[in-house]
């Protein structure tokens, strides 16, 4: 909180120097720790007797920021009213921790001091003063074993430890006990390596080497061990300790627990990496329509984000035979290893994860009653932590799932669930878009096939008509031959008209303009009449009709219904070239009438049966048979417009049976 010159007087009105003096006097007057305070202008407003003893003098009236005669950084640079540790603390508005300085007394002797400035706030959290605690760490006696710290050191805000040049601990304060968990009695006389992880022991060798050469190790961040064996992040500052002859005899160490700061830094780094990963996934999904490439990227990224030992993306698809299959992409393990595992393919949990709507997170799957092992785990992937996230379309349909495993328990968190939920939504969009893309490609291919087929089908009758007319132009005397070729030309003209009619009807259906002229009629008579008319033109096959012998009244468009029957009969004949019969039966109940038109021809595969009523679709293996793939599409549309339905029953090579049903007419 910045302090302006305009606000100083207001602050002083509420909390004067005198009142601050009274506050500190009550606490520190007889305290063994050197202590003093300054107002925000740097004027000393309180100091105790211990501070006077340390400085070797009473502060001068105009002294700013310190009562010492002179102060220096450990590198010998003079501290001034414009540059010192208290002013730095005030300007930054945060407490920087302890700092080692040198104090020169009036008798020109030097003292090594730990200076710890702190901000003093009023009730409104405004800075009204800054106080400083001093700890004298100057060697007090000669000899190889010096008592560096007095009882005062125990009140310092950071762990203060001293050691000799062999790394043997010679002092240990209360804050060190608090941070590391060891008491002073437990640590004095032991090696400092007791606090250092085995993989970091080389650090001590480097530190001692620098101390022996008179160098200071400043704000070195590392990891140390606590009494319970856990690791702790610390920032340490280590300075040489000199005896009164200027010989380095050891080192003083100030250690500060920075576990919270490190944790925040790691969390921020992880958050940034996750954001970058999410952006990368989103970009890949928007730029690519390759399902395999997208899903592999999603699997790799989510496995990394969760920290899982392995990740898998399961998704549903349909093969060329129309059968639904479950495929998967992997990250962190091979298919050979994964196929040996029992997660999630044979468990109740797989049903929860991939048929449900909520994620499944289990800290230890081996203790979960829903998880039933049928075989031991693969020795290389002994999974405990389990996390599964369903992948759903906007409609709510589950089309797949993300699954993750870890060898250790309790490795997945709610945060992982939230991140995966977002990625799963993007993955669902990717799958949906890819399916649409594949469908568009398929339709585009069929469009090209249709154009080629339509050109051929339209050209064939036109070529025949043209040929017959050319013959007629040269045969003016033979009336019988002229009549024959006229009839042939008329037949081809009828085919051409039928093809054009189908194309026009499809266009009308798409535009919603196909007209129906409905009337109440006897459907039985219509079927019989349609069969008779068809028999005159299709002499290669006999129509075997099974009649129900009673009127069947429906409401519909007679011309359109006759078109349906004729089209189905025509297909039956066309696709059973090696047969000579087509079977038609007429069945009814109280509510509906059904017509079955069955042939014994080439039949349909299961895949073709699913697509046979699709516009422009032609079954495999019928390229030698004429047609545009529109007849059954129109037939289905006409029947459904009459509130009926149509289906096909077939086996490849065993013929096909088309059955359509219409509702019987009910008088109002």
């Amino acid at each position: 909180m910045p302090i302006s010159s305009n606000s100083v007087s207001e602050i002083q009105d509420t909390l004067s120097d005198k009142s601050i003096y009274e506050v500190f006097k009550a606490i520190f007057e007889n305290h063994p720790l050197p202590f003093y305070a300054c107002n925000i202008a740097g004027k000393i407003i309180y100091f105790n007797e211990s501070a006077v003893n340390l400085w070797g003098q009473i502060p001068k009236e105009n002294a700013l920021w310190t009562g010492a005669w002179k102060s220096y950084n450990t590198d010998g640079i003079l501290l001034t009213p414009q540059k010192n540790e208290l002013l730095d603390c005030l300007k930054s508005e945060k407490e920087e921790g302890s700092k080692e300085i040198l104090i020169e007394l009036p008798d020109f002797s030097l003292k090594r001091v730990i200076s710890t400035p702190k901000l003093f706030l009023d009730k409104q959290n405004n800075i009204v003063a800054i106080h400083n605690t001093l700890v004298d760490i100057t060697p007090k006696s000669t000899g190889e074993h010096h008592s560096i710290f007095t009882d005062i050191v125990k009140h310092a805000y950071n762990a203060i430890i001293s050691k000799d040049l062999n790394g043997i601990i010679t002092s240990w304060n209360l804050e060190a006990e608090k941070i590391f968990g060891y008491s002073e009695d437990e640590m004095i006389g032991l090696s400092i390596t007791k606090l250092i992880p085995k993989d970091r022991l080389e650090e001590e060798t480097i530190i001692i080497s620098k101390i022996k050469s008179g160098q200071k190790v400043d704000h070195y961040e590392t990891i140390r061990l606590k009494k319970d064996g856990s690791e702790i992040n610390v920032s340490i500052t280590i300075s040489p300790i000199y005896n009164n002859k200027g010989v380095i005899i050891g080192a003083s160490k100030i250690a500060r627990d920075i576990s919270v700061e490190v944790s925040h830094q790691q969390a921020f780094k992880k958050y940034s990496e996750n954001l970058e990963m999410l952006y990368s996934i989103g970009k890949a999904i928007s730029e690519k329509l390759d399902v395999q490439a997208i899903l592999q990227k999603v699997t790799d990224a989510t496995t990394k984000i969760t920290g899982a030992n392995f990740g898998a993306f399961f998704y549903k698809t349909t093969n060329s035979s129309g059968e639904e299959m479950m495929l998967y992409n992997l990250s962190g393990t091979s298919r050979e290893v994964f196929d040996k595992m029992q997660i999630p393919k044979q468990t109740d949990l797989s049903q929860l994860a991939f048929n449900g709507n909520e994620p499944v997170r289990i800290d230890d799957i081996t203790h979960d009653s829903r998880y039933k092992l049928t075989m031991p785990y693969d020795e290389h992937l002994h999974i405990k932590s389990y996390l599964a996230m369903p992948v759903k379309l906007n409609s709510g349909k589950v089309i797949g799932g993300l699954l993750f495993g870890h060898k250790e328990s309790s490795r997945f968190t709610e945060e992982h669930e939230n991140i995966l939920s977002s990625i799963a939504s993007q993955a669902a969009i990717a799958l949906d878009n890819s399916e649409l893309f594949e469908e568009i490609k398929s339709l585009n291919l069929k469009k090209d096939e249709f154009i080629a087929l339509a050109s051929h089908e339209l050209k064939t009758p036109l070529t025949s008509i043209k040929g017959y007319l050319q013959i007629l132009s040269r045969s003016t005397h033979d009336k019988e031959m002229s009549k024959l070729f006229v009839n042939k030309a008329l037949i081809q003209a009828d085919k051409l008209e039928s093809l054009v009619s189908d194309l026009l009807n499809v266009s009308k259906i798409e535009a919603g303009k196909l007209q129906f002229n409905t009337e109440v009629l006897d459907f039985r008579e219509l079927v019989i009449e349609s069969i008779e008319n068809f028999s005159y033109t299709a002499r290669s096959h006999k129509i075997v009709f099974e009649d129900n012998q009673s009127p069947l009244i429906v409401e519909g468009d007679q011309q359109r219904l006759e078109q349906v029957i004729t089209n189905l009969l025509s297909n039956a004949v066309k696709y059973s070239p090696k047969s000579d019969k087509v079977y038609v039966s007429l069945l009814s109940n109280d509510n509906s009438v059904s017509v079955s038109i069955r042939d014994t021809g080439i039949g349909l595969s299961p895949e073709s049966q699913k697509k046979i009523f699709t516009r422009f679709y032609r079954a495999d293996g019928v390229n030698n048979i004429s047609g545009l793939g529109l007849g059954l599409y129109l037939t289905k549309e006409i029947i459904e417009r009459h509130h009926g339905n149509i289906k096909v029953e077939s086996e490849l090579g065993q013929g096909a049976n088309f059955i359509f049903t219409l509702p019987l007419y009910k008088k109002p």
Side-chain angles (χ1 to χ4, degrees), residues 264-280 305 415 419:
H264 289 168
Q265 290 171 2
Q266 292 174 343
F268 180 76
K269 181 181 179 182
K270 185 176 181 181
Y271 178 73
S272 300
E273 290 176 348
N274 288 348
L275 282 180
E276 185 176 348
M277 196 75 69
L278 289 171
Y279 171 76
S280 175
I305 287 174
E415 179 187 2
I419 294 173

Side-chain angles (χ1 to χ4, degrees), residues 98-226:
S98 301
K99 180 178 181 181
E100 185 176 337
I101 63 172
L102 299 174
I103 290 178
E104 185 175 357
L105 278 61
D107 63 2
F108 304 108
S109 62
L110 291 174
K111 289 187 177 182
R112 301 181 70 85
V113 175
I114 301 296
S115 173
T116 307
K118 297 278 186 178
L119 300 173
F120 186 70
L121 311 177
D122 63 10
K123 292 182 179 180
Q124 287 74 40
N125 283 331
N126 296 310
I127 302 171
V128 294
I130 183 166
H131 58 84
N132 195 14
T133 306
L134 303 173
V135 177
D136 184 3
I137 60 171
T138 309
K140 297 297 190 295
S141 62
T142 61
E144 293 301 320
H145 302 287
H146 292 276
S147 176
I148 306 302
F149 294 101
T150 64
D151 290 339
I152 297 175
V153 176
K154 294 182 180 180
H155 299 88
Y157 295 102
N158 294 315
I160 300 178
I161 305 166
S162 66
K163 60 185 178 181
D164 63 21
L165 294 180
N166 294 316
I168 302 302
I169 297 171
T170 56
S171 68
W172 184 268
N173 75 342
L174 291 176
E175 190 65 17
E177 180 176 338
K178 179 180 177 183
I179 291 176
F180 296 106
Y182 292 102
S183 67
E184 182 180 20
D185 292 340
E186 289 177 299
M187 294 305 294
I188 297 296
L190 296 182
S191 173
I192 195 71
T193 56
K194 188 176 181 69
L195 303 176
I196 304 176
K198 290 182 179 180
D199 59 346
R200 290 178 176 266
L201 289 175
E202 187 179 351
E203 291 180 5
E204 179 63 10
T205 303
I206 296 172
I207 289 171
I208 290 295
S209 176
K210 288 186 175 183
I211 292 300
K212 287 180 178 180
S213 64
Q215 298 181 57
K216 179 182 179 182
V217 179
D218 202 8
H219 300 298
Y220 177 67
E221 294 186 3
T222 185
I223 294 173
R224 293 295 181 256
L225 297 175
K226 299 174 70 172

